[in-house]
Each structure stands twice: as C-alpha cells, then as structure tokens.
Amino acid sequence: MIFGKQDTHVPRAGRDLIRKTLEDANVACSFLEVQAQHAFIRDESSKGRWDAALTRSLFGLMMDLFEKIGRDLGSPEALGAVEHVC
C-alpha cells in the first residue's frame, strides 16, 4: 500500500489504523508512505498534485513486486512458514 503523507483524505491516524489492522490480521503486505499529496499518481485532473518522478519510481517498484509474486512466490498455499535465519 502506498500513501502520501500530506494526503488530507487519509490522515496519519487513518494510515496508522490501516497499518495496524493489516498487521493484526497477519496480512502479508508492504506499507509505504511518501512525501506526496492525495492523488499524486494521477496525471489528469490532479489539481497540480501529480509527481511524475515519484510516479515513475513507484511504478517500477510495483512492476518488480508483480514479477516477484509471479516468479518466486507461486500459490499462497506453497509459501508455508517463513524461516528465521538470522
């Protein structure tokens, strides 16, 4: 999940609640907050909030994640327990 820290639609308390709810439910996900406003990734009608460089970087991150999911993880049932090796 990606949120803009200056997003007035989802304030910090809301982002904290979303993060806590997902963690409490043991949902496997990434939670990323960036220095941006609401709708920073939309290039049309974004009221000047669009950040092309940030959008490009996050799109690359998303594509890497999709590639990893398809290549490395396979089906959720195949994951099993994660081994702690440290």
Side-chain angles (χ1 to χ4, degrees):
M1 303 193 85
I2 302 170
F3 290 92
K5 290 182 106 174
Q6 288 78 38
D7 186 342
T8 57
H9 295 256
V10 186
R12 183 177 182 171
R15 296 189 308 272
D16 290 344
L17 177 62
I18 292 167
R19 180 187 296 115
K20 181 179 182 334
T21 302
L22 291 169
E23 288 175 354
D24 290 349
N26 293 318
V27 174
C29 70
S30 295
F31 194 95
L32 178 63
E33 293 178 290
V34 297
Q35 296 298 332
Q37 298 179 34
H38 180 77
F40 69 90
I41 207 161
R42 255 192 338 217
D43 64 345
E44 296 179 17
S45 304
S46 64
K47 302 175 185 167
R49 298 176 287 207
W50 184 44
D51 186 325
L54 183 57
T55 299
R56 189 172 29 259
S57 296
L58 294 173
F59 186 78
L61 182 68
M62 179 186 68
M63 295 306 292
D64 289 344
L65 175 64
F66 288 160
E67 181 181 325
K68 180 179 180 180
I69 289 171
R71 181 188 67 230
D72 297 338
L73 300 180
S75 68
E77 296 81 22
L79 287 176
V82 176
E83 181 182 354
H84 181 72
V85 294
C86 294

